[in-house]
Amino acid sequence: GQQVMQIPQYQHVQEGEDFTTYCNSSTTLSNIQWYKQRPGGHPVFLIQLVKSGEVKKQKRLTFQFGEAKKNSSLHITATQTTDVGTYFCFSTDSWGKLQFGAGTQVVVTP
Amino acid sequence: NAGVTQTPKFQVLKTGQSMTLQCAQDMNHEYMSWYRQDPGMGLRLIHYSVGAGITDQGEVPNGYNVSRSTTEDFPLRLLSAAPSQTSVYFCASAPSTTGVFHEQYFGPGTRLTVT
């Protein structure tokens, strides 16, 4: 069955640095969403990618969907303390299976 | 709009007790779901519903029941609580699932401890 792997599980970043988190699937995905969860909070929707090779930007965040629609990435430039939290990818495959990745926990040090 | 609301925020149960976690949304969303979140395991789908009167199992349904008698409400019932059900539970809703799956709106969560 579909397995969605998210890496890294943990990311320690200095303020001002860039980092990337990846979401990889063993099967082709219909679409992929990214969510952010602040410590003690609930997941909040960030973006949805549907098309092969799609790239979307939100200020310092860049989201990409792979050409084969089997992987996705979230790149954050010039990390700020407000970026602290856990970032999850959420995918649906052609069979309708819904799955969250395990998340990347981001810690930012000033 | 209140969005997605969940009650209670915190709950402690003894093994074998039953209880219902409440979830309501006021956005007229067709899709509602329940997730549990455990450290290092992300969110795992327990049950979901694509409309009133329709429910289906997710990834980890054992020990939980759901019903969807109205569009607004989607309660989750723990039949006989076990320590393995200690977790944070999130309810979520989304607009129609026809075509591309839409963004999910999450409730604030219920932190459940089973002793």
Side-chain angles (χ1 to χ4, degrees), chain B residues 7-26:
Chain B
T7 55
K9 283 187 167 48
F10 301 93
Q11 183 70 50
V12 179
L13 291 177
K14 292 189 187 316
T15 297
Q17 287 184 317
S18 62
M19 79 158 294
T20 299
L21 307 185
Q22 301 292 344
C23 174
Q25 53 92 9
D26 61 0

Side-chain angles (χ1 to χ4, degrees), chain A:
Chain A
Q2 175 198 356
Q3 293 287 332
V4 175
M5 303 299 294
Q6 195 170 349
I7 54 172
Q9 186 176 353
Y10 183 82
Q11 181 81 53
H12 190 177
V13 189
Q14 279 221 298
E15 199 172 9
E17 289 183 341
D18 302 352
F19 78 88
T20 304
T21 173
Y22 301 89
C23 195
N24 300 317
S25 172
S26 56
T27 59
T28 303
L29 304 173
S30 296
N31 65 324
I32 197 158
Q33 299 174 348
W34 285 91
Y35 290 80
K36 177 183 178 180
Q37 183 178 24
R38 294 185 186 274
H42 59 274
V44 175
F45 175 82
L46 294 175
I47 205 86
Q48 175 158 273
L49 305 170
V50 179
K51 300 175 184 175
S52 167
E54 189 170 15
V55 178
K56 289 187 177 180
K57 293 190 177 185
Q58 285 181 351
K59 298 182 181 178
R60 296 178 294 102
L61 278 62
T62 301
F63 304 84
Q64 190 162 3
F65 203 5
E67 293 289 342
K69 299 184 75 173
K70 287 187 175 181
N71 54 68
S72 179
S73 64
L74 159 58
H75 181 78
I76 299 182
T77 58
T79 304
Q80 299 176 358
T81 54
T82 53
D83 295 322
V84 164
T86 302
Y87 294 83
F88 294 96
C89 61
F90 173 82
S91 63
T92 56
D93 68 9
S94 55
W95 298 99
K97 181 173 179 180
L98 312 172
Q99 188 171 6
F100 270 97
T104 294
Q105 184 182 351
V106 176
V107 175
V108 181
T109 52

